[in-house]
Amino acid sequence: MTVLTRAAAMVAAIALAVSTAHAFPQDGLFYQGLSCPAEGFEPGTERTASLSFPTLCLVEMCCDLANPINIRAMDETFLYDGACTDTGGDFEARLLVGEASIDGVIVVFNNIAHTYARCEP
């Protein structure tokens, strides 16, 4: 492999990594449903999620997301390997995470899908 070919391969890999990072929904605090609760938002409670990429926390479970696979024909949706922790200990999981049509995220975990609206406390 020539130096030029190796350099081109490296540039392509970096471009792919950067485009994947930019495609993911922005970090934030989220509430399960189509809008934030009118009575106020309290992070870390039931029906809440937080994202500080690559860490996604859903109530008492947090997962470090790795190995994104873009879902065909769904530009803003990725399948991730998750190294997760909850009150029962550590485990591995597959999570589908993507942008919702509202300002928020959709998370599919353990065959259950939830839509979370973006909220700011």
Side-chain angles (χ1 to χ4, degrees):
M1 187 183 294
T2 67
V3 173
L4 183 58
T5 305
R6 275 188 256 161
M10 187 181 304
V11 168
I14 291 170
L16 179 63
V18 169
S19 67
T20 299
H22 287 294
F24 196 84
Q26 293 180 350
D27 292 352
L29 301 173
F30 303 89
Y31 185 79
Q32 186 180 337
L34 299 177
S35 63
C36 294
E39 66 276 0
F41 176 80
E42 187 177 331
T45 59
E46 190 72 24
R47 300 181 63 182
T48 64
S50 65
L51 175 63
S52 180
F53 195 77
T55 303
L56 173 67
C57 294
L58 309 170
V59 187
E60 296 179 353
M61 175 184 83
C62 287
C63 297
D64 288 328
L65 306 175
N67 302 322
I69 298 172
N70 188 237
I71 305 301
R72 182 180 53 217
M74 299 176 78
D75 294 336
E76 305 297 326
T77 305
F78 297 87
L79 184 62
Y80 288 95
D81 293 328
C84 305
T85 305
D86 68 5
T87 55
D90 297 339
F91 61 98
E92 293 182 7
R94 296 284 277 169
L95 294 97
L96 185 127
V97 183
E99 285 189 330
S101 59
I102 59 171
D103 183 20
V105 295
I106 295 173
V107 178
V108 179
F109 168 73
N110 204 19
N111 296 324
I112 299 171
H114 295 286
T115 299
Y116 293 89
R118 181 179 305 281
C119 300
E120 299 302 327

